[in-house]
Amino acid sequence: MTQQSILLDGLPVPFEEGQTIMDAAMAAEIFIPHLCHHPEFKPQGSCKLCTVKASGRYVSACTMPARDGMEVENNSPDLNDKRRTMLQMLFVEGNHFCPSCEKSGNCMLQALAYELEMLSPHFNQFYPNRPLDASHPQVLLDFNRCILCELCVRASRDVDGKHVFSLSGRGITKHLIVNAESGRLADTDFSMTDKAAHVCPVGVILEKRKGFAVPIGQRRYDVDPIGMQVERLAHRTTTEEEI
């Protein structure tokens, strides 16, 4: 049987039945920008950064099934310009102060901004007031940095079986919450051994007493840009630092 393939930016990329465009690209070590995608979870297309043009239509690469002969446009000025705009909106919607953030150099949002040459936030800052949760003995939650990717929600529900996190509200009021009557992480059975503790692509879930353990300049995306780490992004595990 002839191997099925898509044409990704003019390059033939093979895929297996049931794979999405993102699956095929990652297997071929071709980078498609993304934030909410994780190879261990069912995709849901939250962030839209992986938007590509497939057969003339804009689609999410993480949810669109690959089809034999499909022509896919990924790395184009038009798409990258749209991705920069989405990144700018994510930056201003939350409180992302990279120079003072513990996750600087390990943050996918920051790494993508560098990768896509986002030079300014462009839009007015929202400055949301989202209180920190320092109630848990092991973990600090900084809700100000949440980008609503739902990775912690899916990990806690589908892998840990604990349902610790959820999203509440609609539209501009939508935000991450802790599923406890008190709303405090300390009143759940959350643990640093949970999958949910290691999937946040930004700096919401922070382990206490380990701040700045790796010097700036030696962190994950300090060493190699995110666009060069496709293999690592495609093979993330519970024990690896998921940021």
Side-chain angles (χ1 to χ4, degrees):
M1 182 180 293
T2 304
Q3 173 70 63
Q4 298 185 97
S5 66
I6 60 175
L7 202 62
L8 184 55
D9 289 332
L11 178 70
V13 174
F15 68 90
E16 303 296 331
E17 192 65 34
Q19 285 189 319
T20 63
I21 294 172
M22 178 70 80
D23 294 332
M26 280 193 157
E29 297 189 16
I30 296 173
F31 180 64
I32 297 179
H34 62 276
L35 281 167
C36 72
H37 177 71
H38 192 292
E40 296 179 35
F41 307 137
K42 182 179 179 180
Q44 63 181 35
S46 294
C47 72
K48 303 303 181 187
L49 274 176
C50 73
T51 295
V52 295
K53 189 177 278 189
S55 301
R57 295 190 302 120
Y58 291 107
V59 298
S60 295
C62 68
T63 59
M64 185 68 182
R67 295 286 182 262
D68 192 32
M70 176 185 284
E71 295 186 14
V72 181
E73 184 180 324
N74 169 44
N75 188 18
S76 71
D78 171 61
L79 285 166
N80 287 333
D81 185 60
K82 287 177 170 57
R83 290 164 178 159
R84 273 190 294 272
T85 300
M86 285 187 276
L87 284 172
Q88 288 169 326
M89 289 190 287
L90 287 171
F91 265 90
V92 302
E93 190 278 333
N95 294 324
H96 301 283
F97 306 116
C98 296
S100 62
C101 181
E102 147 66 10
K103 292 302 178 183
S104 180
N106 281 330
C107 172
M108 286 185 69
L109 181 67
Q110 179 195 46
L112 285 167
Y114 279 120
E115 182 76 16
L116 294 168
E117 299 181 344
M118 193 196 95
L119 302 180
S120 75
H122 180 72
F123 303 104
N124 292 330
Q125 298 279 352
F126 281 33
Y127 297 116
N129 182 18
R130 300 169 183 157
L132 304 180
D133 182 350
S135 62
H136 195 279
Q138 295 177 292
V139 176
L140 167 71
L141 295 181
D142 188 343
F143 294 108
N144 289 293
R145 300 169 181 170
C146 182
I147 57 172
L148 305 180
C149 68
E150 294 191 61
L151 282 175
C152 63
V153 176
R154 286 178 277 166
S156 186
R157 180 191 65 211
D158 301 338
V159 179
D160 304 325
K162 295 183 177 182
H163 298 265
V164 171
F165 301 104
S166 185
L167 294 185
S168 179
R170 295 172 64 90
I172 196 65
T173 67
K174 197 171 188 179
H175 61 286
L176 183 69
I177 62 170
V178 173
N179 280 327
E181 188 173 350
S182 65
R184 296 174 359 125
L185 191 64
D187 297 325
T188 71
D189 55 354
F190 181 83
S191 168
M192 276 306 299
T193 60
D194 291 351
K195 180 69 175 178
H198 303 279
V199 295
C200 182
V202 288
V204 178
I205 302 173
L206 301 170
E207 185 174 2
K208 291 182 175 179
R209 293 171 290 278
K210 288 193 67 174
F212 298 96
V214 179
I216 291 175
Q218 300 177 28
R219 299 180 177 198
R220 178 173 178 176
Y221 300 116
D222 294 336
V223 178
D224 290 311
I226 191 170
M228 297 175 62
Q229 299 192 23
V230 187
E231 183 177 0
R232 185 172 178 181
L233 289 168
H235 297 91
R236 289 177 280 181
T237 67
T238 303
T239 55
E240 182 187 5
E241 190 171 81
E242 297 295 322
I243 41 185

